[in-house]
Amino acid sequence: MMRAPILALLLAASAGPVLAQAPAYPAAPAAGAPAAAVNPRHFHVITVHLDGATGIQASAAHPAEAYPTQPMPAGGGLLLRPLSQEGNWSVRAFVFQPSQIVVMQGEPVTLTFVDIQGPSFRIAVDGVAEPIAIRRGEVRSVTLPADRPGRIGFRSLDHAPSMVGEILVLRRP
């Protein structure tokens, strides 16, 4: 019967210091005030793959799932592994994390790609002439001006259609 009040006290006690350390957001500039200096934005974008594994036989932890008959889209970004002799199968999807970044117009943006999963990638970034070649464990950066509102896309040339991302550039008020 006393569990709820004790739990509430424990949660409040554990949340107190964390909330006290939370960063404050800067106040909005007053009307007519000069625009603040534009700060460069830096994002680390990692390459990852998501795996889903199951089987055609039920287990105590999971129901049986039929092996898909529809092929995966072409491009190497989505892989359906063949059915094993034990009746197991899996699906893999290559993705960027984060895959969407939002900035304000005029903020220079640096994307630092870190290859975590996958032996290598060729990454195309809109507005950048040459693809970025990266291998597992390597880090490569590119800086963009983000000077116009709109969308700046980036994508793996080897893992379509799932390994895509975008920078949304919002109009500065």
Side-chain angles (χ1 to χ4, degrees):
M1 301 271 178
M2 297 282 291
R3 288 185 186 156
I6 292 171
L7 181 58
L9 286 172
L10 288 173
L11 289 173
S14 67
V18 174
L19 294 175
Q21 296 172 5
Y25 289 99
V38 176
N39 293 324
R41 304 287 305 276
H42 191 164
F43 300 91
H44 285 81
V45 180
I46 60 173
T47 63
V48 296
H49 57 75
L50 307 173
D51 290 311
T54 189
I56 60 172
Q57 303 295 326
S59 70
H62 202 273
E65 294 185 46
Y67 187 75
T69 56
Q70 181 181 6
M72 289 285 139
L78 299 166
L79 304 173
L80 176 61
R81 304 279 185 206
L83 192 62
S84 74
Q85 290 181 351
E86 297 80 24
N88 299 321
W89 58 275
S90 67
V91 176
R92 173 171 286 178
F94 287 92
V95 297
F96 289 116
Q97 181 61 34
S99 62
Q100 187 176 62
I101 296 166
V102 180
V103 300
M104 296 301 293
Q105 178 182 3
E107 293 178 334
V109 176
T110 298
L111 298 178
T112 297
F113 292 96
V114 182
D115 186 355
I116 303 294
Q117 294 177 319
S120 66
F121 296 95
R122 291 176 307 133
I123 302 166
V125 179
D126 294 347
V128 177
E130 295 293 320
I132 298 163
I134 189 169
R135 295 177 142 335
R136 188 186 323 263
E138 292 182 341
V139 176
R140 299 279 186 270
S141 295
V142 61
T143 300
L144 307 160
D147 53 356
R148 295 185 319 236
R151 178 189 170 278
I152 301 170
F154 55 94
R155 66 207 148 282
S156 170
L157 298 174
D158 310 301
H159 296 87
S162 60
M163 198 167 200
V164 297
E166 66 182 358
I167 303 168
L168 295 178
V169 182
L170 303 179
R171 183 177 311 282
R172 188 168 292 282

